[in-house]
Amino acid sequence: MCSVVIGLLSVPALTQSQDSGESAPQKSQKKNDAPKNAADPTIETDIEATEAQEAPKRRLVKWNEYQGPHFTVRGGAGFLYEVAAFAQDQQSKGQFPLGFKHKVRDFRFLLAGRFPSSKRSITWSAGFMYDAPTNSWLVRQTGVMIAFPELLGHLFIGRSKEGFSLNKVMTGYDGWTMERATMNDATVPLLADGIKWLGYYPKHGILWNLGYFNDIFSKGQSFSSYSSQEILRLAWLPIRSVSDTHSLLHIGLNLRYGKPAENKLQLRSRPEASPAPYFVDTGKFSATSTFMAGPEVYYRRRNWLFGSEYWIQKVDSPSTHNPFFSGGDIAATWTITGETRTYNTVGGFFRAISPARPVFQGGHGAWDLVSRYSYINLDSRTISGGRFGRFTEQLNWYLSDNVRFEFNYGYGHLDRFGFRGNTQFFQSRIQFQL
């Protein structure tokens, strides 16, 4: 990934940035749209309490909003339905026999709003999701976000993503693939309760996420695998606001320290296919703490996006001789129809593609081609959780800001149970959001 970025940086047109382009929020913006950079409209310069998923730019309905003098409310919803089929060799069948499956992947309700009469920006959110893998309802991102311009940032209090990993901060509805990489799902909890400080210093293009979380209110829930955790994410944007190419380079570092709940840890992940079982799984073992660290690099130029994340996890577990796990991914996306993914400077993440010519307005929508390789290694010391790597090719069709079809082919290799099995994945998903 580094060689790719270095090669791209050698292009003269990409080596310039415009700090002066980082402007204050514009009063003329459409409601519910985050302020855009004056030099490059594909860069947002503010963030709200909702998950990294803004209201669609083109409204499907208007009855789901209330705009009052003292508070506002917007209701939203999301729905994912998918099908999956598999082709396996004999070794793979000996590990996990798989068959055709279809299921509801995700169903959620969202509420969000702000307090216009407040002297400082205060936004709030509440989310509720039906999680198909666990057959249960979860309280999603719920809390308040308070802007502190004097501290160059925002303070969030409540339940949210920790902030570790750009791809994790993005919602699944915004991501370029159907599922996050296996290492991401195995090691970073989906949600956490606590407080975090997000900020951005435009003069030097520095952004940060500093957070503390615990399980006082979430203990026993499926996502709550830690009793407490501290997060630090730092990123630098050495290239940004190049309006003619929409060029942006994001270089980040993630650090995380956590204490597993009840001094027990279990790392596991499905093979980036929700209907499949857990391909890699350490089982529960004694552990007093974990430390994670790793870089993230993303480069955007017009309708191209290249990215990679990789991290290691060191576990303090004397009974298993302190295992050491690692993994990550590398990806490239090409939006065939020419659209550019918007980037948020405060949260340090990318938005979903918004088609320039939606199908429901007589256009062809937006088409996006994705290639990715991901890898995870959960074999270390006395732990034999397995090693898995997968190549993925995916085609996304964004009919509008509300509807998306995904077509996915994957080829995975699993080394576990004394077998080395190969599996082909054939997946499709429909996504709807309001």
Side-chain angles (χ1 to χ4, degrees):
M1 183 62 204
C2 291
S3 62
V4 174
V5 173
I6 292 173
L8 292 169
L9 292 178
S10 66
V11 182
L14 306 185
T15 58
Q16 300 177 3
S17 63
Q18 301 175 6
D19 288 333
S20 60
E22 304 293 348
S23 63
Q26 303 297 308
K27 293 183 179 179
S28 61
Q29 67 182 15
K30 296 179 181 180
K31 58 185 179 180
N32 289 333
D33 285 347
K36 299 296 192 294
N37 182 298
D40 188 344
T42 66
I43 291 182
E44 296 175 349
T45 58
D46 198 9
I47 195 170
E48 296 187 356
T50 53
E51 287 189 272
Q53 177 183 337
E54 64 179 347
K57 295 179 180 179
R58 300 176 182 89
R59 307 303 171 80
L60 187 64
V61 295
K62 296 182 178 180
W63 47 259
N64 62 331
E65 295 186 41
Y66 168 76
Q67 302 285 335
H70 302 294
F71 70 93
T72 70
V73 179
R74 182 185 185 278
F79 177 76
L80 300 177
Y81 190 86
E82 65 184 52
V83 297
F86 312 90
Q88 302 176 268
D89 62 17
Q90 290 301 317
Q91 290 80 6
S92 177
K93 291 179 180 178
Q95 294 167 322
F96 295 101
L98 303 172
F100 175 80
K101 293 186 178 181
H102 57 92
K103 63 184 297 186
V104 174
R105 172 65 177 88
D106 179 287
F107 182 43
R108 65 182 64 185
F109 296 100
L110 306 170
L111 293 172
R114 60 173 57 247
F115 300 98
S117 59
S118 174
K119 292 184 179 180
R120 65 173 68 241
S121 173
I122 301 178
T123 60
W124 62 273
S125 68
F128 309 92
M129 183 189 82
Y130 172 73
D131 185 52
T134 60
N135 192 31
S136 61
W137 284 88
L138 299 176
V139 176
R140 294 285 309 195
Q141 179 148 321
T142 300
V144 295
M145 181 87 77
I146 307 172
F148 287 92
E150 61 273 25
L151 298 178
L152 299 174
H154 298 68
L155 196 66
F156 181 90
I157 304 172
R159 176 168 297 177
S160 71
K161 303 285 184 66
E162 294 178 354
F164 188 104
S165 164
L166 181 149
N167 203 257
K168 196 73 167 190
V169 173
M170 296 172 60
T171 70
Y173 287 75
D174 284 353
W176 36 84
T177 51
M178 291 178 66
E179 300 289 345
R180 297 181 180 88
T182 46
M183 184 63 178
N184 198 312
D185 275 349
T187 56
V188 184
L190 181 63
L191 296 165
D193 293 338
I195 183 171
K196 61 181 181 181
W197 174 38
L198 303 91
Y200 176 60
Y201 188 47
K203 182 177 181 180
H204 298 293
I206 303 294
L207 63 95
W208 60 87
N209 182 123
L210 178 65
Y212 169 78
F213 306 89
N214 60 49
D215 67 347
I216 293 177
F217 299 106
S218 61
K219 187 174 183 178
Q221 297 197 24
S222 59
F223 65 83
S224 183
S225 54
Y226 284 80
S227 60
S228 68
Q229 55 263 57
E230 293 86 41
I231 309 296
L232 175 61
R233 178 175 178 239
L234 294 172
W236 176 42
L237 308 179
I239 300 177
R240 61 196 184 278
S241 305
V242 184
S243 58
D244 57 336
T245 62
H246 302 312
S247 298
L248 182 139
L249 176 61
H250 168 112
I251 302 174
L253 175 66
N254 294 281
L255 301 172
R256 181 181 189 276
Y257 177 80
K259 295 183 178 181
E262 299 179 351
N263 291 327
K264 295 288 183 180
L265 182 67
Q266 181 177 19
L267 305 180
R268 60 182 184 176
S269 179
R270 303 178 194 277
E272 297 168 24
S274 178
Y278 293 101
F279 265 36
V280 290
D281 189 346
T282 63
K284 286 191 176 183
F285 63 96
S286 297
T288 56
S289 66
T290 66
F291 175 75
M292 295 176 62
E296 56 185 31
V297 179
Y298 289 87
Y299 178 76
R300 183 194 72 183
R301 176 178 167 82
R302 293 195 177 96
N303 55 332
W304 285 90
L305 178 64
F306 304 89
S308 180
E309 298 189 21
Y310 192 89
W311 55 85
I312 55 94
Q313 182 180 65
K314 183 181 181 300
V315 182
D316 186 2
S317 173
S319 63
T320 59
H321 305 291
N322 302 321
F324 187 90
F325 307 115
S326 63
D329 74 334
I330 182 170
T333 78
W334 173 44
T335 307
I336 304 169
T337 46
E339 288 85 352
T340 301
R341 283 182 178 269
T342 298
Y343 177 86
N344 185 287
T345 56
V346 181
F349 55 78
F350 291 94
R351 299 284 192 183
I353 291 172
S354 177
R357 298 178 59 192
V359 170
F360 306 115
Q361 295 181 11
H364 47 58
W367 292 81
D368 188 44
L369 187 62
V370 182
S371 295
R372 183 175 76 176
Y373 175 72
S374 61
Y375 177 77
I376 185 171
N377 183 356
L378 296 185
D379 286 342
S380 182
R381 305 293 194 265
T382 63
I383 301 296
S384 298
R387 291 178 292 176
F388 178 73
R390 170 173 164 159
F391 290 96
T392 298
E393 297 294 326
Q394 181 162 321
L395 180 65
N396 296 309
W397 181 21
Y398 297 83
L399 284 74
S400 69
D401 291 330
N402 310 96
V403 183
R404 168 183 171 187
F405 286 115
E406 303 166 55
F407 309 93
N408 181 306
Y409 170 77
Y411 184 86
H413 177 80
L414 175 63
D415 185 351
R416 193 180 175 200
F417 307 125
F419 295 99
R420 294 182 177 180
N422 299 305
T423 303
Q424 297 182 70
F425 301 84
F426 305 89
Q427 301 165 251
S428 183
R429 173 185 288 176
I430 182 172
Q431 170 179 311
F432 173 80
Q433 63 189 91
L434 177 66

